[in-house]
Amino acid sequence: MNCPHAEAARNAGVIAIDPMVQDLDGETVRLRDAGVLARIDLLGVPAWTVTRHAEARQLLVDPRLVKDIDAWGLWQSGVVTRAWPLIGMIDAGRSMFTVDGAEHRRLRTKISQALTPRRLEAIRPDIEKFTDELLDALDAARGEDGVVDLKAVFAQPLPMKVVGMLMGVDEAQHAMLTRQYKAFFSMLTPQDERLALLAELDVFYTDLVREKTARPTDDLTSALILAEEGGEPLTEEEVVGNLKAMVAAGHETTIGLVLNAVRALLAHPDQLRLVLDGEVGWDAVVEETLRWDTPTTHLLMRFATEDIAVGEEVIRKGEGVVISYRAIGRDFEQHGPDADAFDITRPTRNRHMTFGHGPHICPGAALSRVEAGIALPALFARFPGLRLAVPDEEITKLPVMTQNDMAAFPVLLG
Ligand code: STR
């Protein structure tokens, strides 16, 4: 029916995700209150989002939901085009991030095997060295007033150094990549600029893959290129896609994990004490931060290849589904009535779903845990008097729709 009343009724239950949101807790609570499946509006584009742990867990193993953008009705009909500011979050080239089923396993296996806890033990000394160097840099970057930006000098460069080393991206390129991803994720970047920078990044990564094809080294990019007996080798496009996904994901999300953990501890001094006194481990801080303040707020997007009933609602064939990990971390059913509280001693702290579930579960989960598990204790050991240089309310969030990304994190090192 095309009458304005029906239209208004349909819109009534729709939550518009605000690209400029500062009150992320408010957004999270609104989504959780809206039900298991909420109707959202992403800059004019309608989608569903899943806000609860149990249902997300089911949907994430449901083969009727796929990552292939061609399964999206609004894309097929041309309503969504590359002019939409979030298109780069979905139409990111062929890679383990965008493909399902047997092909997905083919694209992903080598990466997940390289990132197991056991394999990561080999690079622990490198991560410790990067951490120490960046702690020196923090010390040196202190201004006249003693203030230094923990994001720019520490939390941001560390994951880039680690993923750069793993994938074979030269240090000289890290500043360029940081700048480009910042512009990519920011909703203030005009769409033509975003598309241009994505094209530039494609050229950069393609050149890198060609260089590694000619002269393979011992990094993961070279390993992805080298054909193996039996297995079908990846195409150049697939290696480029995986490399992009690794750098973008490895860089952006771990920044949030480290900063959100520091922020939570500084806001809860009693809990910081428990860790510093050795009563609770740093792993508990990492897990509780992952649950309570997820680096990824919303993950775009999957598409229904058939009608899928979820509780009272039906996701229709062709509709898009977002997973709202921040709301899922605050699910009362999963974490109890105090789900909104940060509590490193909570019994369910390891039962969060921040890394996803099912075939696409984050292949870098163990890596991010190792990074944060090294960075956080080293930071507090070196600067036991670490504190915020501004009131917590003055920490601003960047205009990024899908990630919990702070503009800066000014601290006094004590
Ligand atoms: C950014 C743009 C790009 O070139 C490639 C990718 C694929 C991986 C995506 C990444 C994206 C955005 C951030 C994501 C990451 C996988 C994990 C990370 C979604 C679209 C998270 O925030 C969980």
Side-chain angles (χ1 to χ4, degrees):
M1 199 169 57
N2 229 346
C3 82
H5 296 294
E7 175 79 355
R10 263 200 308 278
N11 284 340
V14 177
I15 296 178
I17 304 297
D18 174 8
M20 304 304 290
V21 63
Q22 285 298 328
D23 177 18
L24 205 52
D25 284 343
E27 179 191 286
T28 298
V29 168
R30 269 195 301 285
L31 285 171
R32 185 177 57 192
D33 289 351
V36 169
L37 268 190
R39 288 180 191 273
I40 55 172
D41 173 294
L42 296 162
L43 304 168
V45 171
W48 291 104
T49 193
V50 192
T51 68
R52 302 294 165 81
H53 187 104
E55 286 79 3
R57 213 176 144 87
Q58 268 173 17
L59 286 170
L60 286 169
V61 293
D62 192 326
R64 296 172 297 175
L65 273 184
V66 299
K67 302 271 252 168
D68 180 4
I69 192 171
D70 290 331
W72 195 10
L74 294 174
W75 177 253
Q76 288 163 358
S77 64
V79 172
V80 172
T81 66
R82 295 208 32 104
W84 183 51
L86 291 165
I87 196 66
M89 295 299 298
I90 304 171
D91 192 20
R94 188 178 161 81
S95 77
M96 59 181 172
F97 186 69
T98 55
V99 168
D100 294 281
E103 282 291 276
H104 172 242
R105 282 190 289 284
R106 179 180 146 262
L107 293 179
R108 174 181 156 113
T109 302
K110 209 170 252 177
I111 288 179
S112 53
Q113 285 171 351
L115 300 176
T116 59
R118 198 177 56 82
R119 291 279 295 275
L120 291 174
E121 280 309 306
I123 63 162
R124 185 177 278 279
D126 298 295
I127 302 176
E128 287 166 350
K129 184 178 77 89
F130 294 148
T131 302
D132 287 343
E133 288 167 3
L134 290 171
L135 290 172
D136 290 341
L138 260 186
D139 210 0
R142 246 187 265 229
E144 291 272 284
D145 51 0
V147 177
V148 50
D149 179 4
L150 188 69
K151 179 179 185 188
V153 186
F154 183 75
Q156 184 163 271
L158 179 64
M160 183 59 93
K161 280 176 191 277
V162 175
V163 79
M165 172 186 73
L166 269 173
M167 303 310 293
V169 181
D170 208 74
E171 290 245 12
Q173 308 297 336
H174 292 185
M176 176 279 287
L177 289 169
T178 297
R179 186 165 26 83
Q180 297 280 50
Y181 283 114
K182 186 176 178 202
F184 168 74
F185 283 107
S186 171
M187 285 300 121
L188 295 178
T189 304
Q191 183 60 1
D192 54 342
E193 273 176 42
R194 182 176 294 103
L195 293 176
L197 79 82
L198 285 173
E200 276 171 42
L201 283 174
D202 268 337
V203 171
F204 169 76
Y205 288 122
T206 304
D207 286 350
L208 183 63
V209 169
R210 289 188 181 156
E211 162 67 27
K212 298 283 174 190
T213 307
R215 278 171 291 277
T217 50
D218 66 353
D219 51 51
L220 191 45
T221 303
S222 303
L224 289 174
I225 294 165
L226 294 172
E228 225 131 86
E229 296 151 50
E232 178 82 9
L234 304 198
T235 65
E236 181 179 279
E237 183 198 3
E238 291 165 342
V239 178
V240 169
N242 274 354
L243 173 59
K244 285 200 289 197
M246 284 292 293
V247 177
H251 167 58
E252 167 59 33
T253 49
T254 311
I255 301 173
L257 172 56
V258 170
L259 290 179
N260 295 350
V262 174
R263 185 179 191 179
L265 289 173
L266 295 181
H268 300 85
D270 50 324
Q271 303 197 40
L272 176 56
R273 253 307 22 106
L274 287 179
V275 201
L276 294 181
D277 291 347
E279 285 179 42
V280 181
W282 283 98
D283 58 320
V285 174
V286 171
E287 299 310 315
E288 179 64 351
T289 302
L290 285 165
R291 178 195 73 81
W292 186 70
D293 198 3
T294 58
T296 301
T297 316
H298 310 290
L299 194 120
L300 275 51
M301 199 187 274
R302 286 170 169 81
F303 311 102
T305 56
E306 290 169 36
D307 290 0
I308 303 174
V310 181
E312 309 275 274
E313 308 277 9
V314 179
I315 303 168
R316 297 282 169 204
K317 177 179 177 184
E319 289 181 336
V321 181
V322 170
I323 314 284
S324 288
Y325 283 107
R326 202 169 193 282
I328 288 169
R330 304 294 187 92
D331 185 343
F332 297 129
E333 296 270 319
Q334 177 68 9
H335 300 288
D338 69 338
D340 284 327
F342 178 77
D343 177 5
I344 57 175
T345 66
R346 83 170 50 244
T348 66
R349 69 181 175 231
N350 293 342
R351 276 181 262 143
H352 63 74
M353 215 182 11
T354 294
F355 291 116
H357 180 66
H360 286 276
I361 191 169
C362 177
L367 177 60
S368 74
R369 287 175 164 130
V370 170
E371 288 182 44
I374 291 173
L376 292 168
L379 176 67
F380 282 95
R382 176 84 168 256
F383 305 111
L386 184 78
R387 59 188 197 279
L388 265 176
V390 296
D392 185 87
E393 315 78 72
E394 281 175 29
I395 301 283
T396 54
K397 198 187 156 289
L398 284 172
V400 172
M401 286 184 76
T402 56
Q403 323 293 125
N404 182 4
D405 210 340
M406 300 172 209
F409 196 82
V411 292
L412 291 160
L413 299 174

PDB file of all heavy atoms in Angstrom, residues 88-89 92 97 181 184-185 198 244-245 248-249 253 296 299 403, ligand 1:
ATOM      1  N   GLY A  88      32.037   1.121   0.482  1.00  0.00           N
ATOM      2  CA  GLY A  88      33.367   0.519   0.626  1.00  0.00           C
ATOM      3  C   GLY A  88      33.443  -0.513   1.746  1.00  0.00           C
ATOM      4  O   GLY A  88      34.357  -1.336   1.787  1.00  0.00           O
ATOM      5  N   MET A  89      32.472  -0.494   2.661  1.00  0.00           N
ATOM      6  CA  MET A  89      32.437  -1.479   3.741  1.00  0.00           C
ATOM      7  C   MET A  89      31.917  -2.827   3.246  1.00  0.00           C
ATOM      8  O   MET A  89      32.014  -3.831   3.953  1.00  0.00           O
ATOM      9  CB  MET A  89      31.537  -1.000   4.892  1.00  0.00           C
ATOM     10  CG  MET A  89      32.021   0.233   5.617  1.00  0.00           C
ATOM     11  SD  MET A  89      33.636   0.048   6.426  1.00  0.00           S
ATOM     12  CE  MET A  89      33.310  -1.253   7.610  1.00  0.00           C
ATOM     13  N   ALA A  92      34.109  -4.596  -1.296  1.00  0.00           N
ATOM     14  CA  ALA A  92      35.535  -4.386  -1.017  1.00  0.00           C
ATOM     15  C   ALA A  92      36.437  -5.295  -1.859  1.00  0.00           C
ATOM     16  O   ALA A  92      37.588  -5.512  -1.514  1.00  0.00           O
ATOM     17  CB  ALA A  92      35.795  -4.614   0.469  1.00  0.00           C
ATOM     18  N   PHE A  97      36.666 -11.868   2.989  1.00  0.00           N
ATOM     19  CA  PHE A  97      35.633 -11.059   3.646  1.00  0.00           C
ATOM     20  C   PHE A  97      34.319 -11.028   2.861  1.00  0.00           C
ATOM     21  O   PHE A  97      33.268 -10.734   3.428  1.00  0.00           O
ATOM     22  CB  PHE A  97      36.167  -9.623   3.832  1.00  0.00           C
ATOM     23  CG  PHE A  97      35.265  -8.704   4.618  1.00  0.00           C
ATOM     24  CD1 PHE A  97      35.061  -8.892   5.980  1.00  0.00           C
ATOM     25  CD2 PHE A  97      34.621  -7.639   3.989  1.00  0.00           C
ATOM     26  CE1 PHE A  97      34.231  -8.037   6.696  1.00  0.00           C
ATOM     27  CE2 PHE A  97      33.789  -6.788   4.710  1.00  0.00           C
ATOM     28  CZ  PHE A  97      33.595  -6.980   6.067  1.00  0.00           C
ATOM     29  N   TYR A 181      43.233   5.268   5.593  1.00  0.00           N
ATOM     30  CA  TYR A 181      42.152   4.583   6.310  1.00  0.00           C
ATOM     31  C   TYR A 181      41.363   5.545   7.181  1.00  0.00           C
ATOM     32  O   TYR A 181      40.155   5.395   7.347  1.00  0.00           O
ATOM     33  CB  TYR A 181      42.674   3.376   7.100  1.00  0.00           C
ATOM     34  CG  TYR A 181      42.934   2.223   6.161  1.00  0.00           C
ATOM     35  CD1 TYR A 181      44.211   1.737   5.937  1.00  0.00           C
ATOM     36  CD2 TYR A 181      41.876   1.669   5.431  1.00  0.00           C
ATOM     37  CE1 TYR A 181      44.441   0.714   5.030  1.00  0.00           C
ATOM     38  CE2 TYR A 181      42.095   0.650   4.526  1.00  0.00           C
ATOM     39  CZ  TYR A 181      43.382   0.184   4.332  1.00  0.00           C
ATOM     40  OH  TYR A 181      43.595  -0.815   3.421  1.00  0.00           O
ATOM     41  N   PHE A 184      39.068   7.023   4.792  1.00  0.00           N
ATOM     42  CA  PHE A 184      38.092   6.006   4.354  1.00  0.00           C
ATOM     43  C   PHE A 184      36.955   5.870   5.364  1.00  0.00           C
ATOM     44  O   PHE A 184      35.778   5.873   5.017  1.00  0.00           O
ATOM     45  CB  PHE A 184      38.781   4.653   4.165  1.00  0.00           C
ATOM     46  CG  PHE A 184      37.802   3.507   3.995  1.00  0.00           C
ATOM     47  CD1 PHE A 184      37.097   3.350   2.810  1.00  0.00           C
ATOM     48  CD2 PHE A 184      37.572   2.611   5.033  1.00  0.00           C
ATOM     49  CE1 PHE A 184      36.177   2.312   2.665  1.00  0.00           C
ATOM     50  CE2 PHE A 184      36.660   1.577   4.893  1.00  0.00           C
ATOM     51  CZ  PHE A 184      35.959   1.426   3.703  1.00  0.00           C
ATOM     52  N   PHE A 185      37.304   5.750   6.642  1.00  0.00           N
ATOM     53  CA  PHE A 185      36.289   5.491   7.663  1.00  0.00           C
ATOM     54  C   PHE A 185      35.491   6.744   8.034  1.00  0.00           C
ATOM     55  O   PHE A 185      34.361   6.639   8.498  1.00  0.00           O
ATOM     56  CB  PHE A 185      36.932   4.896   8.928  1.00  0.00           C
ATOM     57  CG  PHE A 185      37.289   3.432   8.801  1.00  0.00           C
ATOM     58  CD1 PHE A 185      38.604   3.011   8.686  1.00  0.00           C
ATOM     59  CD2 PHE A 185      36.287   2.467   8.795  1.00  0.00           C
ATOM     60  CE1 PHE A 185      38.927   1.650   8.571  1.00  0.00           C
ATOM     61  CE2 PHE A 185      36.594   1.108   8.686  1.00  0.00           C
ATOM     62  CZ  PHE A 185      37.913   0.705   8.570  1.00  0.00           C
ATOM     63  N   LEU A 198      40.246   4.727  -2.418  1.00  0.00           N
ATOM     64  CA  LEU A 198      40.162   3.266  -2.535  1.00  0.00           C
ATOM     65  C   LEU A 198      40.841   2.792  -3.816  1.00  0.00           C
ATOM     66  O   LEU A 198      41.524   1.759  -3.831  1.00  0.00           O
ATOM     67  CB  LEU A 198      38.700   2.807  -2.497  1.00  0.00           C
ATOM     68  CG  LEU A 198      38.031   2.847  -1.113  1.00  0.00           C
ATOM     69  CD1 LEU A 198      36.541   2.549  -1.217  1.00  0.00           C
ATOM     70  CD2 LEU A 198      38.709   1.876  -0.141  1.00  0.00           C
ATOM     71  N   LYS A 244      44.251  -6.360   1.478  1.00  0.00           N
ATOM     72  CA  LYS A 244      43.488  -5.170   1.884  1.00  0.00           C
ATOM     73  C   LYS A 244      42.723  -5.437   3.171  1.00  0.00           C
ATOM     74  O   LYS A 244      42.710  -4.621   4.089  1.00  0.00           O
ATOM     75  CB  LYS A 244      42.425  -4.829   0.817  1.00  0.00           C
ATOM     76  CG  LYS A 244      42.921  -4.213  -0.414  1.00  0.00           C
ATOM     77  CD  LYS A 244      41.788  -3.481  -1.147  1.00  0.00           C
ATOM     78  CE  LYS A 244      40.770  -4.413  -1.771  1.00  0.00           C
ATOM     79  NZ  LYS A 244      39.927  -3.736  -2.784  1.00  0.00           N
ATOM     80  N   ALA A 245      42.062  -6.595   3.192  1.00  0.00           N
ATOM     81  CA  ALA A 245      41.232  -6.921   4.361  1.00  0.00           C
ATOM     82  C   ALA A 245      42.106  -7.040   5.610  1.00  0.00           C
ATOM     83  O   ALA A 245      41.752  -6.553   6.681  1.00  0.00           O
ATOM     84  CB  ALA A 245      40.462  -8.213   4.123  1.00  0.00           C
ATOM     85  N   ALA A 248      43.392  -3.427   6.625  1.00  0.00           N
ATOM     86  CA  ALA A 248      42.304  -2.585   7.141  1.00  0.00           C
ATOM     87  C   ALA A 248      41.825  -3.100   8.497  1.00  0.00           C
ATOM     88  O   ALA A 248      41.663  -2.343   9.456  1.00  0.00           O
ATOM     89  CB  ALA A 248      41.144  -2.551   6.151  1.00  0.00           C
ATOM     90  N   ALA A 249      41.611  -4.403   8.588  1.00  0.00           N
ATOM     91  CA  ALA A 249      41.063  -4.974   9.822  1.00  0.00           C
ATOM     92  C   ALA A 249      42.113  -4.991  10.919  1.00  0.00           C
ATOM     93  O   ALA A 249      41.849  -4.632  12.064  1.00  0.00           O
ATOM     94  CB  ALA A 249      40.564  -6.390   9.560  1.00  0.00           C
ATOM     95  N   THR A 253      40.850  -2.103  14.067  1.00  0.00           N
ATOM     96  CA  THR A 253      40.135  -2.645  15.219  1.00  0.00           C
ATOM     97  C   THR A 253      40.985  -2.697  16.494  1.00  0.00           C
ATOM     98  O   THR A 253      40.487  -2.449  17.578  1.00  0.00           O
ATOM     99  CB  THR A 253      39.684  -4.077  14.893  1.00  0.00           C
ATOM    100  OG1 THR A 253      40.808  -4.766  14.365  1.00  0.00           O
ATOM    101  CG2 THR A 253      38.579  -4.085  13.860  1.00  0.00           C
ATOM    102  N   THR A 296      34.295  -2.746  16.961  1.00  0.00           N
ATOM    103  CA  THR A 296      33.367  -2.698  15.831  1.00  0.00           C
ATOM    104  C   THR A 296      31.948  -2.578  16.372  1.00  0.00           C
ATOM    105  O   THR A 296      31.453  -3.485  17.039  1.00  0.00           O
ATOM    106  CB  THR A 296      33.504  -3.973  14.983  1.00  0.00           C
ATOM    107  OG1 THR A 296      34.862  -4.060  14.531  1.00  0.00           O
ATOM    108  CG2 THR A 296      32.577  -3.938  13.778  1.00  0.00           C
ATOM    109  N   LEU A 299      28.658  -4.375  12.044  1.00  0.00           N
ATOM    110  CA  LEU A 299      29.350  -5.009  10.930  1.00  0.00           C
ATOM    111  C   LEU A 299      28.426  -5.131   9.725  1.00  0.00           C
ATOM    112  O   LEU A 299      27.373  -5.755   9.790  1.00  0.00           O
ATOM    113  CB  LEU A 299      29.902  -6.381  11.309  1.00  0.00           C
ATOM    114  CG  LEU A 299      30.898  -6.841  10.231  1.00  0.00           C
ATOM    115  CD1 LEU A 299      32.269  -7.074  10.815  1.00  0.00           C
ATOM    116  CD2 LEU A 299      30.419  -8.047   9.490  1.00  0.00           C
ATOM    117  N   GLN A 403      32.654   1.858  13.436  1.00  0.00           N
ATOM    118  CA  GLN A 403      33.702   1.566  14.407  1.00  0.00           C
ATOM    119  C   GLN A 403      33.600   2.540  15.577  1.00  0.00           C
ATOM    120  O   GLN A 403      33.167   3.682  15.394  1.00  0.00           O
ATOM    121  CB  GLN A 403      35.111   1.713  13.794  1.00  0.00           C
ATOM    122  CG  GLN A 403      35.275   1.276  12.368  1.00  0.00           C
ATOM    123  CD  GLN A 403      35.130  -0.193  12.134  1.00  0.00           C
ATOM    124  OE1 GLN A 403      34.330  -0.636  11.326  1.00  0.00           O
ATOM    125  NE2 GLN A 403      35.899  -0.970  12.873  1.00  0.00           N
TER     126      GLN A 403
HETATM  127  C1  STR B   1      37.688  -1.903   4.629  1.00  0.00           C
HETATM  128  C2  STR B   1      37.962  -1.537   3.189  1.00  0.00           C
HETATM  129  C3  STR B   1      38.793  -2.569   2.481  1.00  0.00           C
HETATM  130  O1  STR B   1      39.560  -2.227   1.595  1.00  0.00           O
HETATM  131  C4  STR B   1      38.649  -3.917   2.898  1.00  0.00           C
HETATM  132  C5  STR B   1      37.871  -4.306   3.958  1.00  0.00           C
HETATM  133  C6  STR B   1      37.661  -5.730   4.234  1.00  0.00           C
HETATM  134  C7  STR B   1      37.822  -6.047   5.703  1.00  0.00           C
HETATM  135  C8  STR B   1      36.973  -5.150   6.583  1.00  0.00           C
HETATM  136  C9  STR B   1      37.324  -3.676   6.310  1.00  0.00           C
HETATM  137  C10 STR B   1      37.116  -3.316   4.820  1.00  0.00           C
HETATM  138  C11 STR B   1      36.554  -2.757   7.268  1.00  0.00           C
HETATM  139  C12 STR B   1      36.737  -3.118   8.733  1.00  0.00           C
HETATM  140  C13 STR B   1      36.403  -4.564   8.975  1.00  0.00           C
HETATM  141  C14 STR B   1      37.256  -5.415   8.050  1.00  0.00           C
HETATM  142  C15 STR B   1      37.079  -6.813   8.567  1.00  0.00           C
HETATM  143  C16 STR B   1      37.076  -6.636  10.066  1.00  0.00           C
HETATM  144  C17 STR B   1      36.893  -5.149  10.331  1.00  0.00           C
HETATM  145  C18 STR B   1      34.911  -4.814   8.794  1.00  0.00           C
HETATM  146  C19 STR B   1      35.657  -3.348   4.404  1.00  0.00           C
HETATM  147  C20 STR B   1      35.969  -4.926  11.504  1.00  0.00           C
HETATM  148  O2  STR B   1      35.661  -3.819  11.853  1.00  0.00           O
HETATM  149  C21 STR B   1      35.468  -6.087  12.248  1.00  0.00           C
END
